[in-house]
Amino acid sequence: MHFGNIGGRAAIVRGDDAYDLGLASSGTLPSDPMEALAVWSAVTAWAASAEPVEAGLIAGATTWGPPVPRPRQSIGIAVNYRTHAEETDNSALDVPQAFTKFPSCITGPTSDVVIPSGDIDWEVEIVVVIGREGTDISSDDAWDHVAGITCGQDISNRTLQRIGLRQMSLAKSHRTFGSTGPTIVTVDELRDRDDIRLSCTVNGFERQSGSSRDMIFSIPELISYLSTILTLYPGDLIFTGTPSGVGARLTPPQYLHAGDVIITWVEGVGEMVNNCVADSIGA
Ligand code: ZN
Protein backbone atom coordinates (compact mmCIF):
# COMPACT_ATOMS: atom_id res chain seq x y z
CA MET A 1 0.00 0.00 0.00
CA HIS A 2 1.06 3.56 -0.74
CA PHE A 3 -0.16 6.03 1.89
CA GLY A 4 0.29 9.77 1.95
CA ASN A 5 -1.07 13.22 2.58
CA ILE A 6 -3.03 15.26 0.07
CA GLY A 7 -4.16 18.67 1.27
CA GLY A 8 -3.64 17.66 4.88
CA ARG A 9 -5.83 14.55 4.58
CA ALA A 10 -4.81 10.91 4.61
CA ALA A 11 -4.82 9.32 1.15
CA ILE A 12 -4.07 5.90 -0.29
CA VAL A 13 -3.18 4.84 -3.82
CA ARG A 14 -5.25 2.19 -5.58
CA GLY A 15 -4.03 1.46 -9.13
CA ASP A 16 -3.62 4.81 -10.87
CA ASP A 17 -6.00 6.56 -8.49
CA ALA A 18 -5.69 8.26 -5.13
CA TYR A 19 -8.47 8.01 -2.56
CA ASP A 20 -9.25 10.12 0.49
CA LEU A 21 -9.02 7.58 3.31
CA GLY A 22 -11.80 9.04 5.45
CA LEU A 23 -14.29 9.39 2.59
CA ALA A 24 -13.33 6.14 0.84
CA SER A 25 -13.88 4.21 4.07
CA SER A 26 -17.23 5.97 4.73
CA GLY A 27 -15.72 7.55 7.80
CA THR A 28 -14.65 4.29 9.45
CA LEU A 29 -11.00 5.35 9.22
CA PRO A 30 -9.46 8.73 10.12
CA SER A 31 -8.97 11.51 7.60
CA ASP A 32 -6.01 12.95 9.49
CA PRO A 33 -2.67 11.34 8.49
CA MET A 34 -1.38 11.26 12.08
CA GLU A 35 -4.58 9.64 13.35
CA ALA A 36 -4.41 7.12 10.51
CA LEU A 37 -0.84 6.18 11.46
CA ALA A 38 -2.04 5.63 15.03
CA VAL A 39 -4.44 2.89 13.80
CA TRP A 40 -2.09 1.56 11.15
CA SER A 41 -3.07 -2.10 11.29
CA ALA A 42 -6.72 -1.12 10.68
CA VAL A 43 -5.66 1.03 7.70
CA THR A 44 -3.60 -1.74 6.09
CA ALA A 45 -6.31 -4.35 6.74
CA TRP A 46 -8.94 -2.09 5.15
CA ALA A 47 -6.69 -1.31 2.15
CA ALA A 48 -6.07 -5.03 1.57
CA SER A 49 -9.70 -6.05 1.43
CA ALA A 50 -12.24 -3.24 1.20
CA GLU A 51 -13.45 -1.57 -1.97
CA PRO A 52 -13.05 2.22 -1.69
CA VAL A 53 -16.27 4.23 -1.83
CA GLU A 54 -16.37 6.16 -5.11
CA ALA A 55 -17.00 9.43 -3.29
CA GLY A 56 -13.48 9.15 -1.92
CA LEU A 57 -11.80 9.29 -5.35
CA ILE A 58 -9.52 12.33 -5.60
CA ALA A 59 -10.07 13.81 -9.06
CA GLY A 60 -7.43 15.59 -11.10
CA ALA A 61 -3.74 16.07 -10.43
CA THR A 62 -2.64 15.19 -6.93
CA THR A 63 -0.07 17.15 -4.97
CA TRP A 64 1.37 15.10 -2.14
CA GLY A 65 2.43 16.76 1.08
CA PRO A 66 4.72 15.25 3.71
CA PRO A 67 3.26 11.79 4.45
CA VAL A 68 3.88 12.34 8.16
CA PRO A 69 3.07 16.04 8.58
CA ARG A 70 3.58 16.26 12.36
CA PRO A 71 5.98 13.54 13.58
CA ARG A 72 6.31 13.37 17.33
CA GLN A 73 9.99 12.45 16.98
CA SER A 74 12.32 12.69 14.00
CA ILE A 75 15.70 11.03 14.35
CA GLY A 76 18.70 11.10 12.04
CA ILE A 77 21.56 8.60 11.96
CA ALA A 78 25.02 9.91 11.08
CA VAL A 79 27.59 7.91 9.11
CA ASN A 80 25.60 4.72 8.60
CA TYR A 81 26.89 3.58 5.20
CA ARG A 82 30.32 2.03 4.84
CA THR A 83 31.00 4.04 1.66
CA HIS A 84 30.11 7.29 3.46
CA ALA A 85 32.21 6.30 6.50
CA GLU A 86 35.17 5.88 4.16
CA GLU A 87 34.70 9.21 2.40
CA THR A 88 34.35 11.05 5.73
CA ASP A 89 37.29 9.21 7.36
CA ASN A 90 35.05 7.77 10.07
CA SER A 91 35.90 4.18 10.83
CA ALA A 92 32.94 1.93 11.55
CA LEU A 93 31.27 2.84 14.83
CA ASP A 94 30.21 0.58 17.70
CA VAL A 95 26.72 2.08 18.19
CA PRO A 96 24.48 4.17 15.91
CA GLN A 97 25.22 7.92 16.06
CA ALA A 98 21.85 9.64 16.40
CA PHE A 99 20.82 13.28 16.20
CA THR A 100 17.50 15.13 16.17
CA LYS A 101 16.08 16.31 12.90
CA PHE A 102 13.63 18.69 14.55
CA PRO A 103 10.09 18.06 13.26
CA SER A 104 9.63 21.71 12.25
CA CYS A 105 12.02 21.10 9.31
CA ILE A 106 9.87 18.35 7.78
CA THR A 107 8.40 19.21 4.36
CA GLY A 108 6.97 17.41 1.36
CA PRO A 109 8.20 15.81 -1.87
CA THR A 110 7.87 18.95 -4.01
CA SER A 111 8.61 21.57 -1.35
CA ASP A 112 11.26 24.21 -1.97
CA VAL A 113 14.51 23.98 -0.03
CA VAL A 114 15.40 27.43 1.30
CA ILE A 115 19.18 27.89 1.18
CA PRO A 116 20.63 29.87 4.10
CA SER A 117 24.24 31.10 4.21
CA GLY A 118 26.83 28.37 4.73
CA ASP A 119 27.88 25.21 2.90
CA ILE A 120 24.56 23.43 2.26
CA ASP A 121 24.75 19.77 1.22
CA TRP A 122 22.45 16.99 -0.02
CA GLU A 123 21.94 13.53 1.57
CA VAL A 124 19.52 11.00 0.07
CA GLU A 125 18.11 8.74 2.77
CA ILE A 126 15.62 5.95 3.31
CA VAL A 127 13.21 7.21 5.95
CA VAL A 128 11.58 4.60 8.18
CA VAL A 129 8.11 5.47 9.50
CA ILE A 130 7.13 3.79 12.74
CA GLY A 131 3.67 2.22 12.70
CA ARG A 132 3.41 0.66 16.17
CA GLU A 133 4.51 1.99 19.56
CA GLY A 134 7.33 0.14 21.22
CA THR A 135 10.18 0.06 23.72
CA ASP A 136 13.03 -2.44 23.86
CA ILE A 137 12.09 -3.82 20.45
CA SER A 138 14.23 -6.78 19.37
CA SER A 139 15.81 -6.76 15.93
CA ASP A 140 13.69 -9.78 15.05
CA ASP A 141 10.49 -7.86 15.85
CA ALA A 142 11.59 -4.51 14.43
CA TRP A 143 9.94 -4.76 10.99
CA ASP A 144 6.60 -5.38 12.74
CA HIS A 145 6.87 -1.86 14.17
CA VAL A 146 7.43 -0.24 10.75
CA ALA A 147 4.50 1.34 8.90
CA GLY A 148 6.64 1.62 5.79
CA ILE A 149 9.44 3.60 4.21
CA THR A 150 9.60 6.83 2.25
CA CYS A 151 12.22 9.05 0.57
CA GLY A 152 14.02 11.67 2.58
CA GLN A 153 16.55 14.45 2.11
CA ASP A 154 18.70 15.12 5.14
CA ILE A 155 19.79 18.55 3.90
CA SER A 156 22.78 19.62 5.98
CA ASN A 157 24.50 22.90 6.80
CA ARG A 158 28.15 21.74 6.88
CA THR A 159 29.33 25.13 8.12
CA LEU A 160 27.14 24.91 11.22
CA GLN A 161 27.87 21.21 11.59
CA ARG A 162 31.62 21.91 11.92
CA ILE A 163 31.31 24.62 14.61
CA GLY A 164 32.55 23.91 18.12
CA LEU A 165 31.27 20.64 19.54
CA ARG A 166 29.25 20.09 16.32
CA GLN A 167 25.77 21.56 16.06
CA MET A 168 24.59 18.38 14.39
CA SER A 169 20.87 18.67 15.22
CA LEU A 170 20.55 22.35 14.30
CA ALA A 171 22.72 21.92 11.19
CA LYS A 172 20.19 19.35 9.91
CA SER A 173 17.08 21.25 10.96
CA HIS A 174 16.96 24.57 9.16
CA ARG A 175 13.43 25.29 7.97
CA THR A 176 12.67 23.14 4.84
CA PHE A 177 15.73 20.86 5.35
CA GLY A 178 13.64 17.67 5.67
CA SER A 179 11.88 16.80 2.40
CA THR A 180 9.91 13.56 2.68
CA GLY A 181 7.55 11.62 0.45
CA PRO A 182 5.86 11.28 -1.88
CA THR A 183 4.18 8.34 -0.08
CA ILE A 184 4.88 5.74 2.58
CA VAL A 185 5.22 2.30 0.99
CA THR A 186 4.49 -0.73 3.14
CA VAL A 187 7.32 -3.20 3.53
CA ASP A 188 5.44 -6.06 1.78
CA GLU A 189 5.68 -4.09 -1.49
CA LEU A 190 9.47 -3.84 -1.44
CA ARG A 191 11.53 -6.06 -3.77
CA ASP A 192 13.89 -6.87 -0.88
CA ARG A 193 13.60 -5.02 2.43
CA ASP A 194 17.28 -5.67 3.14
CA ASP A 195 18.47 -4.34 -0.23
CA ILE A 196 16.71 -1.05 -0.95
CA ARG A 197 18.44 1.07 -3.60
CA LEU A 198 18.56 4.85 -3.38
CA SER A 199 20.02 7.70 -5.41
CA CYS A 200 20.25 11.45 -5.68
CA THR A 201 20.86 13.77 -8.62
CA VAL A 202 21.54 17.50 -8.51
CA ASN A 203 20.82 19.43 -11.71
CA GLY A 204 20.73 16.12 -13.58
CA PHE A 205 24.14 14.86 -12.37
CA GLU A 206 24.01 11.66 -10.35
CA ARG A 207 25.77 12.40 -7.07
CA GLN A 208 24.76 9.43 -4.90
CA SER A 209 23.80 5.85 -5.61
CA GLY A 210 23.72 3.01 -3.10
CA SER A 211 21.80 0.27 -1.36
CA SER A 212 20.71 -0.33 2.23
CA ARG A 213 22.85 -3.48 2.06
CA ASP A 214 25.79 -1.12 2.68
CA MET A 215 24.40 0.10 6.01
CA ILE A 216 26.66 -0.30 9.05
CA PHE A 217 23.55 -0.74 11.25
CA SER A 218 20.59 -2.32 9.47
CA ILE A 219 17.08 -0.87 9.77
CA PRO A 220 16.10 -3.51 12.40
CA GLU A 221 19.30 -2.83 14.35
CA LEU A 222 18.62 0.93 14.34
CA ILE A 223 15.05 0.47 15.60
CA SER A 224 16.19 -1.98 18.26
CA TYR A 225 18.99 0.29 19.51
CA LEU A 226 16.90 3.48 19.55
CA SER A 227 14.07 1.70 21.37
CA THR A 228 16.39 0.74 24.24
CA ILE A 229 16.47 4.48 25.06
CA LEU A 230 13.38 6.05 23.47
CA THR A 231 9.77 4.99 23.24
CA LEU A 232 9.01 4.95 19.53
CA TYR A 233 5.54 6.14 18.49
CA PRO A 234 3.44 5.79 15.33
CA GLY A 235 4.55 8.42 12.84
CA ASP A 236 8.07 8.77 14.24
CA LEU A 237 10.62 9.22 11.46
CA ILE A 238 14.08 7.67 11.31
CA PHE A 239 16.40 9.10 8.64
CA THR A 240 18.64 6.06 8.31
CA GLY A 241 21.83 7.63 6.90
CA THR A 242 23.26 8.45 3.51
CA PRO A 243 25.60 6.63 1.10
CA SER A 244 28.74 8.22 -0.37
CA GLY A 245 28.67 11.13 -2.78
CA VAL A 246 27.83 14.13 -0.59
CA GLY A 247 28.98 17.51 -1.89
CA ALA A 248 31.45 18.12 0.93
CA ARG A 249 33.50 15.14 -0.27
CA LEU A 250 33.74 16.12 -3.93
CA THR A 251 36.98 17.63 -5.24
CA PRO A 252 36.52 20.54 -5.11
CA PRO A 253 33.52 20.46 -2.73
CA GLN A 254 30.18 21.44 -4.24
CA TYR A 255 27.18 22.77 -2.38
CA LEU A 256 23.58 23.69 -3.06
CA HIS A 257 22.54 27.11 -4.35
CA ALA A 258 19.28 28.79 -5.29
CA GLY A 259 18.17 27.44 -8.68
CA ASP A 260 19.50 23.92 -8.13
CA VAL A 261 17.11 20.98 -8.51
CA ILE A 262 17.48 17.89 -6.29
CA ILE A 263 15.89 14.60 -7.35
CA THR A 264 15.79 11.99 -4.60
CA TRP A 265 14.86 8.38 -5.40
CA VAL A 266 14.22 5.35 -3.22
CA GLU A 267 13.43 1.99 -4.81
CA GLY A 268 9.80 1.01 -4.41
CA VAL A 269 8.79 4.49 -3.25
CA GLY A 270 9.52 6.77 -6.20
CA GLU A 271 11.11 10.16 -6.34
CA MET A 272 10.93 13.66 -4.94
CA VAL A 273 11.80 16.81 -6.89
CA ASN A 274 12.84 19.72 -4.70
CA ASN A 275 13.91 23.14 -5.97
CA CYS A 276 16.46 25.21 -4.07
CA VAL A 277 15.45 28.82 -3.54
CA ALA A 278 17.07 31.88 -2.00
CA ASP A 279 16.51 32.77 1.63
CA SER A 280 14.65 36.01 1.09
CA ILE A 281 15.11 37.11 4.71
CA GLY A 282 18.82 36.34 4.97
CA ALA A 283 19.71 37.45 1.42
ZN1 ZN B 1 22.03 12.13 6.99
Side-chain angles (χ1 to χ4, degrees):
M1 180 185 65
H2 287 240
F3 169 96
N5 160 18
I6 297 176
R9 292 176 65 91
I12 61 159
V13 177
R14 181 68 63 90
D16 293 332
D17 296 319
Y19 286 87
D20 182 288
L21 184 66
L23 295 175
S25 66
S26 300
T28 59
L29 292 170
S31 56
D32 177 81
M34 302 309 301
E35 291 177 22
L37 283 156
V39 292
W40 192 246
S41 57
V43 173
T44 55
W46 178 85
S49 59
E51 210 32 61
V53 174
E54 202 57 29
L57 181 66
I58 297 170
T62 50
T63 302
W64 297 94
V68 184
R70 301 181 306 281
R72 187 164 178 170
Q73 304 182 97
S74 175
I75 301 149
I77 305 296
V79 198
N80 195 36
Y81 282 73
R82 292 181 187 87
T83 53
H84 185 53
E86 285 163 17
E87 74 175 353
T88 54
D89 302 321
N90 283 291
S91 53
L93 302 155
D94 292 336
V95 294
Q97 303 295 300
F99 57 88
T100 299
K101 205 161 165 73
F102 288 100
S104 59
C105 79
I106 300 300
T107 60
T110 57
S111 301
D112 290 342
V113 177
V114 178
I115 305 295
S117 61
D119 295 339
I120 311 304
D121 209 344
W122 54 83
E123 293 194 355
V124 56
E125 312 219 348
I126 297 163
V127 174
V128 168
V129 181
I130 296 297
R132 182 150 68 87
E133 183 177 329
T135 57
D136 295 322
I137 301 164
S138 71
S139 293
D140 286 348
D141 291 341
W143 282 114
D144 294 337
H145 287 262
V146 174
I149 65 162
T150 193
C151 301
Q153 263 295 339
D154 179 22
I155 303 285
S156 304
N157 182 343
R158 303 295 183 208
T159 307
L160 188 54
Q161 193 178 321
R162 293 184 199 112
I163 290 176
L165 297 176
R166 290 177 172 253
Q167 291 275 27
M168 199 71 161
S169 296
L170 288 176
K172 308 286 198 153
S173 297
H174 282 269
R175 279 178 287 276
T176 73
F177 271 24
S179 322
T180 55
T183 57
I184 297 166
V185 177
T186 49
V187 178
D188 60 288
E189 293 211 11
L190 299 175
R191 176 183 57 79
D192 180 347
R193 68 187 188 183
D194 300 314
D195 176 21
I196 306 164
R197 291 177 289 159
L198 69 170
S199 69
C200 170
T201 72
V202 180
N203 299 334
F205 292 97
E206 184 172 273
R207 294 304 189 189
Q208 297 186 274
S209 177
S211 160
S212 64
R213 270 180 317 176
D214 184 44
M215 284 180 173
I216 296 168
F217 299 99
S218 68
I219 289 171
E221 287 169 340
L222 292 176
I223 292 168
S224 180
Y225 177 74
L226 292 169
S227 75
T228 64
I229 297 162
L230 307 172
T231 299
L232 295 176
Y233 296 101
D236 282 356
L237 303 179
I238 305 172
F239 287 72
T240 57
T242 199
S244 61
V246 298
R249 295 295 148 181
L250 295 174
T251 310
Q254 293 193 32
Y255 297 107
L256 294 167
H257 301 94
D260 290 345
V261 180
I262 311 163
I263 298 182
T264 308
W265 174 80
V266 170
E267 182 182 11
V269 179
E271 66 180 30
M272 308 191 293
V273 180
N274 297 103
N275 296 311
C276 298
V277 302
D279 181 351
S280 55
I281 297 168

